[in-house]
Amino acid sequence: MKRASGFEIVAARAWNLLNEGRPFTPIFVLGTFLLFHAGSWADANFWTDAAVALLGTLLLFAVYFAYDFPLYLRNYLWLPLVAALVIWGGAREMLGLWLTGIGLFFFFTVFFWGTFYYHLRIGTSWLNFTRFWKLVLQHSDSTSGNAQEQLPKTLLLLYLMEMLYRWSASPFGTISNAWFEAIIFEAAVLVYAWVLHWYLFDWKPEERNESPATLPKVEGAVSRKVYVLVVDGMRKDRFEEADAPFLKKLRAEGTEYTAMETVYPARTVVCFSSMFTGTYPREHGIASNMVWRLGVRTETIFDSLRKVGKKGRLVGIAHLIDSMGDDVDAVTAVAHFDEADPMAVALAKQVVEEHDPDLLVLQLIGTDQIGHSRGALYDEYRTKIEQADRLLEEFVGWLESRGAMEEATVIVCADHGQAIGIGGHGHLDEGERWVPFFMSGHGVRKGVTIETPQTLVSMAPTLAYLLGAPYPSHSRGPVLSDALNEIDKG
């Protein structure tokens, strides 16, 4: 078992600059432009001319940073590019730059990321590119691996930069009509993006608006211990297809929520932040895996437990430290895809032995990893769910052998599902919005199915209610009390 090193924690943050679509776009476009003009770097006026070109394109960079175009919105990105060609022409002159950009994009996504990176990180085959290129073309979420979003953005940004660069002989020269036309065009793209998002971006989940004052009064603990087992990135339909007898037995012996909805955007760090603060990104401040300001801005369930002298620990990957800080015991995610989850379980056992926490959250990352590297609709993905089932059976059996399951409640869920492409998740395509969620063990009703739609922000207030702790300050979801027996609380 290997914990995440300090280098891995920093490297994970740096990688998000290239993984998340918003920072990737400007980094990639500027890098492509500079590489294409590498032979001119020594020219006296190159850097000033390039700076003027960048300045003239800055508004469009800002528009494409502010607005992502997931799912079917990405189809509308081609219209501004077509409009630019109709207005200014010059497609033939841009062909070399565009081919350079397209070639570098597929080299980065298919070979560097999809093959080299995944081989070094989780041990995928050197031939992973033979499948990964298909996943990049299918991907629907706003990450760097979404070719249908990144390519039209990249081609238009390169087009405008190159046009202004060729015009500009000096930053202090006569300003031509082309420069003004470019600014007006970019302002029109801004209006276009705003209109599209205002009228068409309508699939975000409706937020709940409970508060600690409206939730049931906490008068004592229901459970002595609570174990939250999160199979990261597990699709609900693929779980049903999988041979997972242990988890399905737990479900049958407890209460299942068949319409449990994740949060938006459905990124791992966002989802975990919402689950364990009980609120949404607008309040806890974690809006993507790219965390610009470390730490959530609201109370967590771990803070609530400390108020009553109880302890909680989260065993997961290094990314989660960005939001949950010292409450995380991070296991390395740089390991063969068959080794990552066993190491997480080994670390969870060590945490139980050393800290005996009242709340233990265990994240298994293997299913998510294989979905990103090999796709969620292939056999390898279902096999990973089945392996997670065996590991969790062994872990719960180990807890029982120590007497740690006495008066204990188990919650099993996914933080998000995965869609087509490279394990798409974030913007709620089919397969990622509704997640498996069931409770079992002490205090939980047996053989119950609840079809009323619920949300993962109910996790934190439910944990507080189970463990007799104050609700986190910004709890927005209801307590999942309809899963609980009417029992005396001590």
Side-chain angles (χ1 to χ4, degrees):
M1 184 270 295
K2 180 182 177 184
R3 289 178 179 262
S5 65
F7 174 79
E8 182 180 344
I9 293 169
V10 174
R13 293 169 182 162
W15 172 246
N16 278 325
L17 289 169
L18 298 177
N19 183 44
E20 292 290 323
R22 286 177 171 175
F24 170 81
T25 304
I27 292 171
F28 179 74
V29 169
L30 292 176
T32 299
F33 182 84
L34 290 175
L35 284 174
F36 184 75
H37 290 286
S40 302
W41 289 3
D43 294 351
N45 293 326
F46 170 76
W47 294 103
T48 53
D49 293 348
V52 168
L54 174 61
L55 182 65
T57 322
L58 210 53
L59 177 58
L60 186 60
F61 274 106
V63 171
Y64 282 166
F65 188 88
Y67 290 101
D68 42 30
F69 290 75
L71 308 182
Y72 63 83
L73 284 184
R74 60 193 179 179
N75 299 324
Y76 294 92
L77 280 168
W78 293 101
L79 292 180
L81 179 60
V82 172
L85 290 173
V86 170
I87 295 170
W88 293 295
R92 181 176 299 177
E93 291 78 4
M94 297 289 172
L95 192 58
L97 178 59
W98 280 347
L99 289 176
T100 300
I102 294 170
L104 288 174
F105 175 79
F106 281 105
F107 172 79
F108 169 76
T109 55
V110 175
F111 293 100
F112 179 79
W113 177 7
T115 305
F116 179 74
Y117 169 81
Y118 275 129
H119 179 79
L120 293 183
R121 180 182 168 188
I122 64 173
T124 55
S125 166
W126 284 112
L127 298 177
N128 203 45
F129 63 88
T130 59
R131 181 185 295 177
F132 205 78
W133 70 271
K134 304 174 189 176
L135 306 182
V136 169
L137 292 178
Q138 295 172 330
H139 192 47
S140 58
D141 283 327
S142 295
T143 70
S144 57
N146 184 346
Q148 296 184 59
E149 177 174 357
Q150 291 300 329
L151 286 181
K153 282 184 173 181
T154 294
L155 295 180
L156 181 57
L157 286 164
L158 288 174
Y159 176 88
L160 286 177
M161 278 199 72
E162 183 69 9
M163 182 182 72
L164 293 175
Y165 169 75
R166 293 186 181 191
W167 160 74
S168 179
S170 166
F172 307 106
T174 303
I175 298 178
S176 73
N177 290 335
W179 210 86
F180 283 119
E181 290 170 3
I183 299 300
I184 294 171
F185 175 82
E186 292 167 43
V189 175
L190 170 60
V191 174
Y192 175 72
W194 182 86
V195 170
L196 285 177
H197 284 72
W198 181 262
Y199 287 104
L200 298 182
F201 205 149
D202 56 2
W203 58 81
K204 292 182 183 180
E206 184 177 346
E207 293 186 1
R208 304 296 294 264
N209 199 31
E210 271 79 10
S211 72
T214 64
L215 296 175
K217 185 178 180 180
V218 177
E219 297 178 338
V222 173
S223 307
R224 190 175 66 89
K225 303 280 186 183
V226 178
Y227 302 99
V228 180
L229 310 177
V230 184
V231 183
D232 197 302
M234 181 168 63
R235 277 178 65 119
K236 188 174 174 63
D237 58 345
R238 298 292 272 160
F239 171 63
E240 297 300 337
E241 296 170 7
D243 177 23
F246 172 70
L247 292 179
K248 291 177 180 178
K249 179 174 180 287
L250 278 183
R251 180 176 65 178
E253 294 175 347
T255 296
E256 178 189 15
Y257 286 86
T258 62
M260 182 62 70
E261 191 173 27
T262 189
V263 297
Y264 181 92
R267 298 275 191 260
T268 293
V269 183
V270 179
C271 295
F272 271 78
S273 299
S274 288
M275 282 195 289
F276 299 111
T277 62
T279 190
Y280 298 94
R282 61 181 173 79
E283 289 189 319
H284 62 60
I286 307 298
S288 75
N289 283 349
M290 182 70 250
V291 178
W292 300 100
R293 176 186 178 274
L294 297 180
V296 293
R297 295 199 296 258
T298 59
E299 283 186 348
T300 69
I301 185 60
F302 306 105
D303 296 323
S304 295
L305 290 172
R306 279 188 280 270
K307 292 180 180 180
V308 292
K310 293 186 176 182
K311 185 183 303 181
R313 301 301 301 169
L314 195 168
V315 176
I317 59 172
H319 284 303
L320 300 180
I321 295 175
D322 293 352
S323 60
M324 295 293 163
D326 293 337
D327 292 312
V328 178
D329 290 279
V331 66
T332 183
V334 183
H336 191 277
F337 54 78
D338 286 333
E339 299 173 356
D341 286 350
M343 286 197 297
V345 170
L347 179 56
K349 290 179 180 179
Q350 182 177 324
V351 168
V352 170
E353 290 175 336
E354 294 179 356
H355 300 285
D356 190 26
D358 302 281
L359 168 65
L360 177 74
V361 181
L362 170 59
Q363 176 201 29
L364 297 187
I365 193 64
T367 300
D368 186 71
Q369 284 183 334
I370 211 68
H372 285 306
S373 61
R374 299 290 286 164
L377 302 183
Y378 292 85
D379 289 344
E380 298 101 315
Y381 179 84
R382 190 191 68 249
T383 299
K384 257 299 164 255
I385 296 174
E386 294 169 356
Q387 291 173 355
D389 177 78
R390 311 299 186 266
L391 284 169
L392 293 176
E393 180 179 24
E394 188 272 332
F395 177 62
V396 172
W398 179 84
L399 292 172
E400 289 175 340
S401 70
R402 294 174 54 86
M405 290 298 294
E406 182 181 349
E407 296 186 6
T409 303
V410 177
I411 299 176
V412 178
C413 69
D415 53 340
H416 55 75
Q418 292 193 330
I420 60 173
I422 49 178
H425 63 87
H427 294 270
L428 304 183
D429 198 354
E430 181 181 358
E432 57 175 298
R433 185 170 195 149
W434 305 99
V435 298
F437 190 101
F438 47 93
M439 303 169 61
S440 187
H442 183 73
V444 179
R445 297 167 65 196
K446 295 183 178 181
V448 175
T449 298
I450 298 174
E451 298 179 354
T452 305
Q454 292 290 358
T455 168
L456 283 179
V457 298
S458 285
M459 177 73 82
T462 299
L463 292 174
Y465 186 83
L466 287 170
L467 289 167
Y471 296 115
S473 59
H474 289 69
S475 297
R476 300 302 174 202
V479 174
L480 300 176
S481 55
D482 46 5
L484 304 179
N485 291 313
E486 294 296 328
I487 63 173
D488 292 332
K489 294 189 287 183

